[in-house]
Amino acid sequence: MARPLLKIQRYFRRKPVRFFSLILLYLTAGSLVFLHSGFVGGNFSGSGSGAGGGRGRDPLVATDPGAGKAASTARQEVAGAMSRVFREPRRHGRRYGPAWMKRARQDGQKVGGRGGDAGWNRALKGRNGKDTDDGRAKYVGCYVDDIQKRALRGVSFFDYKKMTVFRCQDNCAERGYLYAGLEFGAECYCGHKVQGANVTESECNMECKGERSSACGGANRLSIYRLELSHESARRYGSAIFKGCFLKPDNVSLALPVTAVLQNMSIDKCVDMCTEKEQSLAVLAGDRCHCGFPTSHFSLHEPEEENMCLHRCHVEELESCGNDQYFVVYQTQVQDNRCMDRRFLPSRSKLLQALASFPGAGNTWARHLIELATGFYSGSYYFDGSLYNKGFKGERDHWRSGRTICIKTHESGKKEIEAFDSGILMIRNPYKALMAEFNRKYGGHIGFASQAHWKGKEWPEFVKNYAPWWASHTLDWLRYGRHVHVVHFEDLKRDLFSQLKAMVLFLGPVVSEDRLLCVEGQKDGNFKRSGLRKLEYDPYTPEMCADINKLIRTVDVALRAKNMSGVPMEYMPR
C-alpha cells in the first residue's frame, strides 16, 4: 500500500500543476453539490408560493369560495416565513389611463370603483361612516378577484401576522396607486383600476390579521378602497408616470421636436415610441404622439383640469389620448441627463457658504437638488463615507477647501456659525424632523428604526434631548449668521422650481431654467424613504407635544422679528 502512495506522491511532485488542478476540480465539484442541495431544500420561489416568484395565486388557494377558509389556513402555514414580502406581478397588457376614464361598461356589472349611485350604496351597506370615508380613503365594495386576471394589477404585499386596512392603504398610496384592496385577511393589492365584478358584502367576511374588528376581503374576494392621494404621490401607469393635462404649447415643433402619427393610438404606443427615441416626455394629442423634454416652452407648471383632455383612444376606450388643444403627458423611464454632470468649482472660492439645518430636516436632499441645479459638488463639515459612495464627491474635501458650492453643517453656536460668510438655513416641521433623524440614527439615511426602538426608552430620551436643539439651532443661526436665507422644507417640496431657483441665486451661480426643469424630474434621487415601514400610530405623547409646541412658537416669534414669514401653518400646535 505504501508503494503506490509513494509513486503518486513522486508523480505530483514532478507535475505540481496537475496536482493543483486536481485539487481545484475536487473543490468545484464539492461546491456544486452543496449549492444544489441548498437550492432543493430552501427554494421558496416556486409556482406554489403566494408571496414568492409565482405569477398567480398558489395552488393551495381554491377557486371555489366555499373552500376559502381551509385554503387560507394552509396558505398561512406555507407563508409564515415569508411575511412582509413585496413583489411586482406580471404585467397584463396595456397600461391604464388617468382616473377620469375609469367607468364600468361590461354588461351592467360593476367593473370599477366609480360606478353609479346604486352600486356605491350597495357596496357601503353595513359599513359605518368611519369605515367608508376617513379622509384617507373611501370604501368602494367587495369584488371578485380572479386568479388568472387580477381585479387590481399593481404591486401586492403580504403580511400574515399584522395586516391592517391602514397599512394596505398607506403602502398603495405611497406608490401612487388609486385603489387598495385586501384579501384573505392578510393580502394587499394595489392598482389604478378595478377590473372585477362587484358582489355582495357578505362575501368579504374575513377579519384582518392585525385588526380583528376590520374586514379584509375573503376567499378570492377583495375589500377595495379608493385612495385620496397626496399631491406628491406619483400616479403610475405601467412604466410611465402620469404628469397631467396641459394646454397645447404655442410652438409644438420647438417644444416637442419628435412627432409621429400613430395608427390605433394608445398610451403604450406613445410611451414606447418616446422611450425608443430617448425622450423623457410622451405627449398624446389625439392620433399624434409628441416626444421631448421639459423646457421653458413646455414647462408642465400650469396643468389644466383633467376633463379638458377627455378624449378616448381609438383602440383603448378606457384610456385618454388628449386632443388637438389639450395634451395628455406622461414621463417615461428615460433619464433626463441635462442636469446630471457635476464637478468641483473651477477656481477656489474665498466665500464659505453653509447649508445649515437641524438633523432630519432634509439637508442631504437639498444637497442633491443644489448639485443637480448648479452642476457643482457640495461639501460637508463632516465626512460620511456612505454619502461619498453615493456620489457626493465633495464629502472628502476639507470643508474649507473652497472647491464646493456650499457646505453641509448641523452645527450651532456663535463660533461655529461665524466661521461661515453666509448660509442657507433649512427648517422643517419638528414633528417630522425628529422622526426622520431618529430613523436615520437607528436605520441609516434611507432606513428605519425598529419597533423596539420606537417603543423602548430610546425614543422618549431622543425627543427630550433633540427637541430643544431643533429650536436652539434655528435661533442661533438667526442671531449669529451674517447673511442667512431661510428655506422651509415643506415649501421646497410644494414649489420646488421657484424655491430651488432662489437658493441657487443666493449661492451665486447663473441659473439655467432648463437645468432646473431637469431637476424637477430627478428630484427624489436615492434619498427618499419608502412608505413600507411608516408608523401606524403617533409616537408623540401629550407631554412631548406640549413641549414641542412651545418651541415652535418661540421659533415663529424669532423669524417674524427678523421680518421673515413665520413658520408654516402646518407646524403650529396640533
Side-chain angles (χ1 to χ4, degrees):
M1 184 67 184
R3 249 177 216 181
L5 290 175
L6 186 60
K7 288 182 179 179
I8 292 172
Q9 183 182 10
R10 288 175 179 172
Y11 173 78
F12 282 122
R13 189 176 296 173
R14 291 196 303 269
K15 307 287 186 179
V17 174
R18 293 182 182 179
F19 174 72
F20 286 114
S21 298
L22 182 65
I23 294 295
L24 183 62
L25 287 171
Y26 174 78
L27 292 174
T28 302
S31 300
L32 289 173
V33 171
F34 175 77
L35 289 173
H36 177 71
S37 62
F39 176 79
V40 172
N43 182 20
F44 288 98
S45 60
S47 62
S49 172
R55 294 295 189 183
R57 188 178 299 285
D58 56 78
L60 291 174
V61 178
T63 56
D64 178 8
K69 290 188 177 180
S72 178
T73 302
R75 288 163 62 84
Q76 293 171 35
E77 293 175 358
V78 174
M82 297 184 289
S83 62
R84 301 193 185 100
V85 177
F86 244 104
R87 65 180 174 84
E88 196 73 54
R90 178 176 57 188
R91 296 297 180 194
H92 296 274
R94 67 178 184 269
R95 305 174 181 97
Y96 296 98
W100 73 83
M101 294 300 296
K102 300 179 180 180
R103 295 191 176 94
R105 289 188 177 90
Q106 294 182 0
D107 301 325
Q109 286 186 322
K110 302 298 179 184
V111 295
R114 298 181 124 187
D117 293 338
W120 183 268
N121 291 333
R122 183 158 72 94
L124 299 185
K125 188 176 180 180
R127 300 269 173 164
N128 59 38
K130 183 177 180 181
D131 290 332
T132 59
D133 185 359
D134 61 358
R136 180 176 62 248
K138 288 186 177 181
Y139 181 72
V140 175
C142 185
Y143 286 79
V144 173
D145 188 34
D146 188 278
I147 298 172
Q148 302 300 325
K149 196 175 182 181
R150 293 290 181 195
L152 295 174
R153 300 178 184 178
V155 297
S156 55
F157 170 59
F158 302 82
D159 191 337
Y160 289 90
K161 292 183 179 180
K162 298 181 180 179
M163 180 60 74
T164 65
V165 173
F166 172 83
R167 188 172 191 188
C168 179
Q169 292 172 353
D170 189 52
N171 290 335
C172 293
E174 178 70 23
R175 285 159 180 75
Y177 288 99
L178 294 173
Y179 293 95
L182 296 106
E183 185 172 352
F184 280 100
E187 302 176 2
C188 174
Y189 294 88
C190 310
H192 291 297
K193 180 181 178 181
V194 182
Q195 301 184 83
N198 188 204
V199 295
T200 60
E201 194 64 27
S202 61
E203 296 186 35
C204 287
N205 54 11
M206 289 189 177
E207 293 182 332
C208 300
K209 297 300 180 184
E211 192 176 29
R212 296 293 180 184
S213 60
S214 299
C216 282
N220 298 320
R221 297 293 184 267
L222 280 168
S223 296
I224 295 182
Y225 294 82
R226 189 179 191 283
L227 306 174
E228 300 297 327
L229 296 181
S230 59
H231 290 298
E232 65 267 18
S233 294
R235 285 162 55 179
R236 293 183 180 273
Y237 301 91
S239 64
I241 300 174
F242 175 69
K243 303 297 288 184
C245 175
F246 297 89
L247 182 65
K248 173 184 175 181
D250 294 332
N251 190 329
V252 177
S253 60
L254 183 62
L256 302 164
V258 179
T259 302
V261 176
L262 301 180
Q263 291 185 345
N264 300 324
M265 169 68 86
S266 68
I267 296 171
D268 264 348
K269 285 188 175 183
C270 189
V271 169
D272 289 344
M273 186 191 95
C274 294
T275 301
E276 186 179 342
K277 299 291 185 182
E278 298 187 348
Q279 305 287 302
S280 68
L281 294 183
V283 182
L284 292 86
D287 61 352
R288 289 182 177 273
C289 175
H290 305 285
C291 310
F293 293 95
T295 65
S296 57
H297 302 290
F298 196 54
S299 65
L300 307 184
H301 287 164
E302 297 180 2
E304 302 288 342
E305 292 293 330
E306 293 184 3
N307 58 13
M308 301 300 291
C309 287
L310 189 59
H311 179 77
R312 299 191 191 101
C313 299
H314 294 301
V315 177
E316 306 293 351
E317 64 173 7
L318 297 179
E319 298 180 356
S320 176
C321 283
N323 51 61
D324 292 340
Q325 293 300 316
Y326 293 93
F327 294 175
V328 177
V329 181
Y330 288 84
Q331 181 176 319
T332 70
Q333 292 286 300
V334 175
Q335 186 178 57
D336 189 345
N337 291 318
R338 294 175 298 170
C339 57
M340 300 308 292
D341 61 299
R342 285 170 291 173
R343 61 191 188 280
F344 288 102
L345 293 175
S347 58
R348 295 182 184 270
S349 173
K350 295 181 180 179
L351 292 176
L352 294 177
Q353 302 187 99
L355 179 61
S357 74
F358 173 78
N363 199 304
T364 301
W365 180 55
R367 288 178 69 185
H368 164 74
L369 297 175
I370 289 171
E371 289 194 3
L372 294 186
T374 63
F376 297 119
Y377 289 121
S378 60
S380 177
Y381 193 81
Y382 322 97
F383 171 69
D384 188 328
S386 66
L387 292 181
Y388 176 84
N389 292 333
K390 289 183 177 180
F392 289 96
K393 299 305 180 185
E395 194 76 16
R396 273 191 175 176
D397 266 35
H398 189 275
W399 66 280
R400 288 183 177 273
S401 70
R403 298 205 305 160
T404 55
I405 189 67
C406 61
I407 301 129
K408 165 188 173 178
T409 179
H410 298 310
E411 300 299 309
S412 55
K414 185 174 185 293
K415 180 180 178 182
E416 289 78 6
I417 294 172
E418 289 181 345
F420 294 96
D421 299 291
S422 61
I424 294 173
L425 175 61
M426 289 278 295
I427 305 175
R428 186 181 185 183
N429 185 331
Y431 288 104
K432 300 290 187 181
L434 289 168
M435 292 177 70
E437 175 58 13
F438 190 73
N439 275 323
R440 187 208 64 79
K441 185 174 182 180
Y442 290 99
H445 280 283
I446 56 174
F448 292 85
S450 68
Q451 288 292 327
H453 289 127
W454 286 106
K455 294 182 177 180
K457 64 181 181 179
E458 291 91 345
W459 171 244
E461 190 69 22
F462 178 86
V463 173
K464 179 181 177 181
N465 293 329
Y466 276 66
W469 180 18
W470 174 86
S472 65
H473 182 276
T474 300
L475 297 175
D476 282 356
W477 274 91
L478 292 175
R479 182 178 180 184
Y480 302 119
R482 299 178 188 176
H483 184 33
V484 177
H485 176 70
V486 174
V487 176
H488 293 283
F489 175 86
E490 294 75 15
D491 292 340
L492 184 59
K493 284 186 68 177
R494 270 191 295 265
D495 186 11
L496 187 141
F497 185 87
S498 60
Q499 290 287 331
L500 182 58
K501 183 177 181 179
M503 292 166 69
V504 173
L505 287 172
F506 178 84
L507 293 173
V510 176
V511 180
S512 165
E513 188 165 335
D514 282 356
R515 193 167 183 116
L516 288 172
L517 290 169
C518 170
V519 176
E520 285 188 307
Q522 323 280 340
K523 62 181 180 180
D524 287 338
N526 298 317
F527 305 98
K528 182 179 180 181
R529 291 184 176 89
S530 73
L532 289 177
R533 293 180 58 186
K534 282 185 176 179
L535 286 181
E536 298 179 11
Y537 63 91
D538 188 347
Y540 293 99
T541 65
E543 293 77 15
M544 291 177 184
C545 291
D547 293 338
I548 293 173
N549 291 341
K550 291 178 183 177
L551 298 172
I552 292 173
R553 293 189 187 96
T554 301
V555 170
D556 184 64
V557 170
L559 287 170
R560 295 182 187 279
K562 291 283 187 177
N563 295 320
M564 301 177 183
S565 60
V567 298
M569 288 302 297
E570 58 203 88
Y571 288 29
M572 297 312 287
R574 296 182 169 193

